[in-house]
Amino acid sequence: MQESPHVLVVDDEPDIREPLARYLEMHEVRATVADGSAAARRVLEVAAVDLIVLDIMMPGEDDLELCRHLRATTQLPVILLTAMTEDTDKIVGLEVGADDYVSKPFNLRELLARIKAVIRRSQSLPPGGESGAAGSYRFDRWWLDTGGRELVDEAGVVTPLSTGEFLLLEALLERLGIVLSRDQLLDLTRGRHAGPFDRAIDNQVCRLRRKLERDPANPKLIATVWGGGYRFAGNVERQ
């Protein structure tokens, strides 16, 4: 029998975190609560967690910094709870690495559905290389330094990459030859603020091809798999 997912609920308001935890437990989701970022860090040191529900309006440590820390050191999914109404504020939260957000006041059933959807997506991702491991990839006439986030050609000229382009290229290189759907690439590049059904990934691939391919109209490195997504088709050497 598959073990129930374990969710960490981080919110400084007990009348939010406690009822939410009870609701999750009623629906076969194990729940642990924390009243702030410091308590959340202590839980993460001793417990295996599948997802964090994080209020980003708590006092004390900047909770967006906690989200950045989690994204830099783990693949742990994060759903933000926010009372903010400005779209730009929500996008900032997603850009630092969150997978989704729910505005307060929220519907418990909707939040449960989002939790299950994010966990399901994260568990379905193909495995990649060691998370956070700095290294480099050589392919075609290029060298990608993942530590410095630099793309260098055979003449030593650096081609600038946006954060989205770098993360997309890294995701494809780490899963060499594996077909990745647009939804999977959105998760791997933490681009959920773009929306799951728009052409954000297609646009990123198009821009990346213009930089990488000898003939962008006839790509040899990033292949389109019709009805599937994209895969990296070139020969790659990891160093």
Side-chain angles (χ1 to χ4, degrees):
M1 181 180 297
Q2 187 175 8
E3 188 177 6
S4 300
H6 184 193
V7 172
L8 173 60
V9 178
V10 188
D11 196 302
D12 64 316
E13 299 182 47
D15 57 343
I16 291 179
R17 66 174 185 265
E18 301 298 342
L20 174 54
R22 288 195 296 270
Y23 184 83
L24 294 177
E25 295 280 358
M26 287 171 55
H27 291 82
E28 300 181 343
V29 176
R30 292 181 296 141
T32 300
V33 297
D35 61 3
S37 296
R41 288 175 183 269
R42 290 193 293 270
V43 172
L44 293 171
E45 288 176 357
V46 298
V49 173
D50 296 297
L51 180 143
I52 294 181
V53 176
L54 175 64
D55 176 19
I56 58 171
M57 297 298 288
M58 293 184 296
E61 178 187 0
D62 185 343
D63 302 297
L64 291 179
E65 285 300 323
L66 174 60
C67 193
R68 289 189 185 95
H69 170 74
L70 292 170
R71 187 54 58 239
T73 58
T74 74
Q75 292 296 316
L76 190 62
V78 178
I79 294 179
L80 301 178
L81 291 182
T82 173
M84 297 183 294
T85 57
E86 293 294 331
D87 287 343
T88 53
D89 291 332
K90 295 171 183 175
I91 290 172
V92 167
L94 295 172
E95 285 180 338
V96 300
D99 296 81
D100 203 349
Y101 73 86
V102 175
S103 297
K104 294 180 179 180
F106 54 85
N107 180 283
L108 287 170
R109 184 176 178 182
E110 177 190 357
L111 179 54
L112 175 63
R114 288 176 181 264
I115 288 171
K116 290 184 174 180
V118 170
I119 290 176
R120 185 167 59 248
R121 289 200 310 263
S122 66
Q123 292 178 343
S124 69
L125 293 175
E130 184 180 351
S131 177
S136 63
Y137 295 92
R138 288 188 181 274
F139 57 93
D140 195 50
R141 65 188 190 278
W142 300 103
W143 173 64
L144 179 69
D145 173 15
T146 61
R149 294 195 171 193
E150 287 189 337
L151 180 66
V152 185
D153 68 12
E154 54 198 358
V157 178
V158 176
T159 296
L161 294 177
S162 69
T163 297
E165 291 165 352
F166 168 79
L167 292 174
L168 175 60
L169 179 56
E170 184 182 43
L172 290 167
L173 290 171
E174 284 186 343
R175 294 156 181 84
L176 186 63
I178 297 175
V179 178
L180 297 171
S181 70
R182 290 169 178 82
D183 267 4
Q184 288 175 326
L185 286 169
L186 280 166
D187 284 317
L188 289 166
T189 59
R190 302 300 167 184
R192 278 286 153 187
H193 61 278
F197 301 113
D198 68 7
R199 298 185 62 82
I201 288 297
D202 297 320
N203 293 334
Q204 291 273 27
V205 168
C206 184
R207 288 193 292 269
L208 199 51
R209 281 173 170 164
R210 287 199 293 265
K211 295 181 178 182
L212 295 179
E213 302 280 1
R214 297 177 188 270
D215 178 7
N218 185 28
K220 303 296 185 184
L221 298 176
I222 302 176
T224 300
V225 180
W226 299 111
Y230 298 99
R231 67 181 178 88
F232 199 89
N235 294 321
V236 179
E237 178 184 353
R238 176 153 191 174
Q239 299 180 333

